[in-house]
């Protein structure tokens, strides 16, 4: 655990000094209000303030700075989130302060800010926390614990660095979190439902001009609330959501050697470590499921006082030097990369007490904050063909001191040095503040959302953690599993993030892997991460054994197809229900039980019901377009409508689909539902004869590519 404390202390938000836009001066004696997007913010002369919302409900949030306002103005302007209306006010307690509240024209969020205009001790006696929001008392809450992989908790104690989601049985919610200073933020919630945003007491003094900001987002639907909140934080951080095919690690199948994989601190002694992994890479390629990268876990560098790749002690120790262990890589890391012929992902720990780095670089606890170290490290990795740097142990020994400078010296210098060399990053064992901090780093692309070795017991954590990560624009990573584990492979594929396996040489399931990837190793995946559907949140918050129903989509210019995975959480079987319309699949839809190979039409506004077991059931949800046809795509792939297979899709009275092929693929079978046998023609590539089952109304047709490795087909009613 970190040295952070949970003591409630002074929160100090945004500065009038930083504002831009037009200004209207208000009389501080009478107070003032601003309004936008159905949200009104009011600051009164006595220092009390109020936020009221019209949507998703008539809610009121209240608070006070405990002092009379001495000056006030209203501003209009534009920041990274968008056009805003704002109240700026000043008051004095132990020092003079400036506070602000912004509401936005096109976003259901409120940004609070406070600046102390002189240096001040960071104690409760120095002044009232701003904001400290007396909030609507909705029945349910979700937050994330200050522990490895930020595990979710419903209705539990709020961790100091966690966002807080509060919601009702109708899925209407609001979410409060820090908007900056994430490492030292101190979120608290009182028994009376006052949510306060302060700075942890490990920071003794706040310098003159220090600003802290807090974000409030509201939404009709839990996922919409997370979406609005995450979009605002990303905008403030200057980061765009990471594309699900941003680099080789996200676009292609990977091979992992971390805890739970076959070759974690273990190898074929006849081949050596390098020879074993080289043989694995070649074997996957020979079987038509090539890996696009190779992950090297902590075994690859010397650790502990023994300065050996095995390390020593109960945890093997920290990094002695962050270079390839000579006993494993006598010719160096770059030579190994040339041998295996694929990019590398390299794991990192903390700095061992015996490491010479402690005398060479500026440290913060057991990590380096010195930019020179990070520049040297990323130079070395880039020269060796490393594409992603994985920082592990973030909730344990790989933590900086919690002050106003060291967290950025550590994670900020790491990110900047990696970005300068074109290296992306992954966080592992992240605390909530690490995930929030990721909004500042465009090259932080993935984060682990569940514990070591993905398996059935980690599904819940994976799905709720994926909602946290994906809201912040980061692709979630489930962790390693074996390709023989069908449902683990399915969930990893639907995560829209990495898919990585750790099978023993020659033991992979080629048939399973071919449901996830094309013959070039490209993952066929949905557009966004698989996350719990809205109704799951109040159901599980009210009943810990309620079933899980999670979904995601592929969007083809507004024509959406969906994917739903559901499983029982009571140790037996449970009924589940979901509405295709709630997932954005407009109108009537055909719901196809993937493993049963059968389905049925759900009318517009209707719901699909089924009974599921602990091992889960999987459904593809295809819209029934104006043609009367539901195109399921390539059901040989889990994400049958994923853009790496179905590059384009439309239905304007007939289905128009562009099918994408890997260079070595000669044929793909596409399927769908139609009331009668359809006609299928190809304007590029070719289409074979239609096969139609009059009982199930399912059709299939084999499609072959043209010279550009695509086929353009039309599916029309007879």
């Amino acid at each position: 655990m970190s040295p952070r404390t949970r003591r409630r202390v002074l929160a100090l938000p945004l500065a009038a000094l930083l504002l831009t836009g037009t200004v209207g001066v208000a009389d501080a004696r009478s107070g003032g209000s601003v309004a936008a997007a159905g949200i009104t913010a009011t600051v009164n002369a006595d220092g009390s303030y109020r936020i009221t919302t019209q949507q998703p409900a008539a809610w009121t949030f209240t608070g006070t700075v405990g002092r009379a306002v001495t000056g006030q103005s209203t501003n209009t302007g534009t920041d990274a989130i968008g056009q805003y209306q704002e109240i700026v006010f000043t008051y004095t307690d132990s020092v003079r302060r400036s506070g602000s509240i912004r509401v936005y024209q096109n976003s259901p969020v409120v940004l609070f800010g406070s600046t102390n205009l002189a240096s001040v001790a960071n104690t409760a006696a120095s002044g009232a926390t701003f904001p400290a929001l007396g909030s609507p008392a909705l029945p349910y809450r979700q937050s994330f614990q200050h522990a490895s992989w930020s595990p979710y908790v419903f209705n539990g104690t709020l961790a100091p660095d966690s966002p807080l989601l509060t919601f009702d049985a109708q899925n209407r919610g609001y979410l409060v979190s820090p908007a900056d200073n994430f490492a030292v933020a101190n979120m608290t919630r009182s028994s009376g439902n006052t949510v306060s945003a302060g700075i942890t007491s490990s920071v003794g003094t706040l310098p003159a001009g220090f600003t802290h900001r807090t974000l409030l987002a509201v939404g009709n639907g839990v996922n919409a609330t997370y979406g609005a909140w995450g979009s605002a934080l990303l905008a403030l951080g200057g980061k765009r959501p990471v594309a699900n095919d941003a680099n080789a690690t996200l676009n292609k199948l990977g091979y992992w050697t971390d805890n739970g994989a076959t070759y974690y601190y273990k190898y074929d002694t006849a081949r050596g470590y390098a020879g074993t992994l080289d043989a694995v890479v070649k074997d996957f390629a020979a079987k038509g499921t090539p890996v696009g990268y190779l992950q090297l876990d902590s075994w690859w560098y010397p650790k502990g006082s023994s300065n050996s790749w095995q390390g020593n002690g109960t945890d093997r120790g920290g990094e002695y030097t962050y270079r390839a262990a000579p006993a494993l890589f006598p010719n160096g890391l770059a030579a190994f990369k040339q041998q295996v012929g694929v990019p590398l992902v390299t794991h990192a720990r903390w700095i061992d007490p015996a490491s010479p780095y402690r005398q060479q670089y500026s440290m913060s606890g057991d990590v380096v904050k010195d930019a020179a170290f990070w520049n040297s490290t990323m130079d070395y990795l880039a020269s060796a063909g490393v594409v992603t740097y994985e920082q592990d142990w973030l909730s344990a020994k790989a933590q900086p001191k919690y002050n106003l400078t060291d967290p950025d010296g550590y994670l900020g210098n790491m990110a900047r040095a990696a970005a300068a060399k074109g290296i992306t990053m992954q966080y592992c064992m992240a605390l909530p503040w690490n995930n929030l901090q990721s909004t500042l780093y465009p090259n932080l692309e993935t984060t682990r959302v569940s514990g070591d070795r993905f398996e059935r017991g980690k599904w819940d954590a994976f799905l709720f953690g994926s909602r946290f990560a994906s809201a912040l624009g980061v692709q979630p990573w489930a962790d390693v599993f074996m390709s023989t584990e069908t449902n683990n492979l399915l969930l990893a594929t639907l995560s829209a993030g990495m898919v990585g396996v750790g099978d023993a040489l020659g033991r992979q399931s080629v048939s399973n892997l071919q449901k996830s990837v094309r013959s070039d190793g490209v993952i066929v995946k949905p557009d966004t991460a698989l996350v719990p559907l809205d109704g799951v949140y109040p159901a599980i918050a009210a009943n810990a054994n309620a079933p899980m129903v999670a979904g995601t989509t592929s969007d083809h210019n507004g024509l959406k197809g969906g994917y739903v995975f559901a499983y029982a959480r009571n140790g037996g079987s449970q009924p589940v229900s979901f509405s295709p319309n709630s997932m954005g699949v407009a109108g009537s839809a055909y719901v196809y039980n993937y493993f049963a190979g059968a389905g049925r039409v759900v009318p517009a506004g209707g719901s699909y019901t089924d009974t599921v077991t602990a091992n889960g059931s999987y459904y593809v949800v295809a819209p029934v377009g104006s043609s009367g046809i539901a195109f399921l795509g390539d059901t040989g792939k889990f994400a049958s409508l994923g853009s790496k297979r179905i590059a384009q899709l439309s239905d304007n009275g007939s289905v128009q689909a562009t099918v994408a092929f890997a260079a070595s693929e000669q044929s793909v079978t596409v399927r769908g539902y139609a009331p009668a046998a359809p006609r299928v023609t190809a304007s590029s590539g070719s289409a074979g004869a239609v096969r139609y089952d009059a009982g199930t109304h399912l059709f299939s047709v084999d499609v072959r590519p043209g010279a550009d490795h695509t086929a353009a087909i039309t599916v029309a009613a007879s």
Side-chain angles (χ1 to χ4, degrees):
M1 298 296 290
S2 86
R4 298 167 58 94
T5 67
R6 305 211 33 186
R7 175 182 166 195
R8 179 184 172 192
V9 293
L10 184 61
L12 301 167
L14 175 69
L17 302 174
L18 302 178
L19 305 177
T20 61
T22 60
V23 179
V25 178
D27 187 343
R29 294 171 298 178
S30 60
S33 296
V34 291
I39 301 174
T40 300
T42 302
V43 176
N44 297 312
D46 63 358
S48 62
Y49 50 91
R50 181 174 68 255
I51 309 296
T52 60
T53 66
Q54 297 177 14
Q55 296 294 332
W59 289 333
T60 299
F61 303 80
T62 60
T64 181
V65 297
R67 297 290 190 274
V69 171
T70 55
Q72 188 177 113
S73 64
T74 59
N75 304 325
T76 63
T78 301
D79 64 11
I81 298 175
Q83 294 181 342
Y84 63 79
Q85 306 282 328
E86 177 180 48
I87 300 177
V88 179
F89 59 98
T90 55
Y91 63 99
T92 300
D93 43 35
S94 57
V95 295
R96 188 165 177 261
R97 305 184 190 274
S98 171
S100 66
I101 307 175
R102 286 185 182 179
V103 294
Y104 289 86
Q105 194 68 36
N106 297 305
S107 186
V109 300
V110 181
L111 184 65
F112 300 87
S114 173
T115 300
N116 47 285
L117 302 179
S119 178
V120 63
N122 180 34
T123 65
S126 298
T129 301
F130 178 79
L133 294 171
S135 304
L138 306 185
Y140 309 121
R141 305 185 309 279
Q142 187 196 43
S143 58
F144 299 89
Q145 299 171 65
H146 188 76
S148 300
W149 300 290
S150 304
Y152 74 94
V153 60
F154 283 106
N155 306 323
T157 302
L158 178 62
D161 54 343
S162 173
L164 175 64
L165 169 71
T166 306
F167 57 102
D168 62 18
Q170 290 74 46
N171 305 306
R172 301 173 301 186
Y174 60 88
L175 199 159
V176 183
S177 84
D180 52 20
N181 302 306
F182 304 113
V184 293
N186 188 43
M187 292 278 295
T188 63
R189 176 186 174 273
S190 73
S191 59
N193 208 38
T194 294
V195 181
S196 304
I199 298 296
T200 184
S201 59
S202 64
V203 178
T205 301
L206 302 174
F210 175 78
T211 296
H212 186 60
R213 297 183 294 180
T214 303
L215 191 67
L216 164 68
V218 300
N220 189 15
V222 167
N223 283 298
T225 306
Y226 268 115
W229 166 75
S231 293
L233 276 186
L234 284 166
L236 292 173
K239 180 176 181 177
R240 294 182 180 274
V242 174
N244 69 10
D245 61 352
N247 69 6
T249 67
L250 286 166
N251 193 40
K252 293 190 175 184
L253 176 67
Y255 188 83
W256 285 69
T257 65
D258 59 335
N259 187 19
T262 301
Y263 298 118
Y264 178 67
Y265 285 90
K266 177 184 175 182
Y267 56 88
D268 180 344
T269 55
R271 299 174 186 268
Y273 228 137
T276 300
L277 298 182
D278 183 46
V280 166
V281 170
K282 288 178 169 55
D283 184 60
F284 271 74
K287 292 177 177 175
T289 54
V291 298
Y293 66 93
L294 174 64
Q295 186 260 5
L296 310 183
D297 209 71
S298 60
W299 53 265
W300 79 271
Y301 49 84
K303 291 170 296 299
S305 59
S306 65
N307 186 19
S308 67
W309 68 271
Q310 297 97 333
N312 57 289
T314 56
D315 57 14
R316 297 184 182 270
E319 300 166 18
Y320 186 86
T321 55
Y322 195 66
R323 297 293 187 268
L328 301 179
F329 304 102
N331 297 318
L333 191 61
F336 171 71
K337 190 272 179 186
Q338 291 299 315
Q339 179 184 0
V340 294
V342 295
L344 304 177
V345 174
T346 53
H347 172 282
R349 292 188 165 206
W350 66 96
I351 305 303
D352 195 81
S355 172
Y357 291 154
R358 290 179 178 267
Q359 285 71 51
Q360 297 171 4
Y361 301 108
S362 298
M363 301 286 297
S364 179
D366 290 321
V367 297
V368 180
K369 62 180 179 178
D370 197 322
F373 168 82
W374 292 110
N375 291 335
S376 172
T377 295
M378 298 306 168
D379 283 347
Y380 171 74
L381 296 181
S383 69
V386 173
V387 295
T388 298
Y389 171 85
E390 176 194 1
Q391 182 60 62
D392 199 356
W393 293 81
L394 286 165
S395 62
K397 295 184 179 180
Q399 297 187 72
K401 294 180 179 178
Y402 286 96
N403 55 39
L404 296 182
T405 58
D406 287 9
D408 179 70
Y410 172 42
L411 295 184
N413 282 332
M414 176 196 302
R416 288 184 285 271
K421 292 297 180 179
I423 295 174
T424 65
M425 299 191 306
Q426 177 182 110
Y427 286 167
C428 187
M429 295 176 64
L431 296 166
W433 78 265
N434 298 128
N435 288 326
L436 295 172
Q437 187 94 355
S438 75
T439 59
L440 305 178
Y441 310 136
N443 59 327
L444 193 288
E445 294 192 344
T446 56
T447 187
R448 276 271 302 281
V449 293
S450 57
D452 289 349
R453 180 55 167 95
F454 191 47
E455 43 83 22
R456 173 62 183 84
K458 299 181 174 72
W459 287 0
D460 286 358
F462 160 71
L463 290 167
F464 286 118
S466 291
R467 176 66 285 184
F468 186 17
S470 62
L472 299 174
V474 177
Q475 297 293 347
W477 163 224
D479 199 30
V480 72
F481 52 92
M482 303 303 163
S483 64
T484 53
E485 299 158 8
T486 303
N487 281 350
N488 289 336
L489 176 61
L490 168 61
L491 288 170
T493 303
L494 296 181
S495 76
M498 290 174 156
V499 177
V501 296
D503 302 274
L505 176 62
R507 300 294 297 274
Q508 69 270 40
S509 171
V510 174
S511 61
N512 266 358
L513 288 171
Q514 288 174 340
K515 294 181 176 69
S516 179
V517 302
R518 306 186 320 197
S519 65
D520 54 2
V522 169
I523 307 164
V524 180
K525 59 173 70 173
D527 294 341
T528 57
L530 182 76
V531 298
L533 298 183
D534 279 347
V536 168
Y537 284 83
I540 292 180
N543 173 12
N545 293 319
M548 172 62 72
V549 185
T552 182
T553 59
S554 291
D555 189 350
H556 295 280
N557 295 318
L559 188 65
K560 282 188 178 181
Y563 315 99
V564 174
F565 188 78
Y567 56 90
R569 299 177 61 257
N570 65 351
S573 62
Q574 291 177 298
V576 295
S577 177
F578 61 88
S579 166
N581 289 179
S582 70
M583 299 174 59
V585 181
S588 60
Y590 183 81
V591 179
Y592 178 73
N593 186 316
Y594 187 91
F595 293 113
R600 61 180 181 266
V601 174
V602 176
S607 294
Y608 181 90
T609 59
D610 202 357
T611 298
V612 298
T613 67
N615 291 326
S617 295
Y618 177 51
Y619 312 91
V620 177
V621 184
V624 178
S626 57
S627 66
I629 296 168
F631 186 71
L632 290 166
D634 175 8
T635 55
K637 296 288 182 282
F638 291 134
S640 60
L641 293 166
S643 62
K644 297 297 183 178
R645 177 61 84 203
I646 307 301
Q648 294 180 321
L649 182 65
S650 62
D651 188 337
N652 297 310
S654 62
V655 174
Q656 310 287 328
T658 300
V659 184
F661 295 75
S664 61
E665 291 176 332
Q666 299 301 310
S667 179
V668 164
T669 300
V670 297
R671 292 179 171 84
Y673 160 87
R679 293 179 290 107
V680 180
T681 58
S683 58
S684 68
S686 62
V690 174
R691 299 178 292 275
Y692 185 74
D693 186 322
T696 64
H697 301 287
L698 292 171
F699 68 88
S700 63
V701 60
D702 298 331
V703 179
R704 293 181 175 274
D708 64 349
H709 307 300
T710 68
I713 63 172
T714 299
V715 184
S718 298

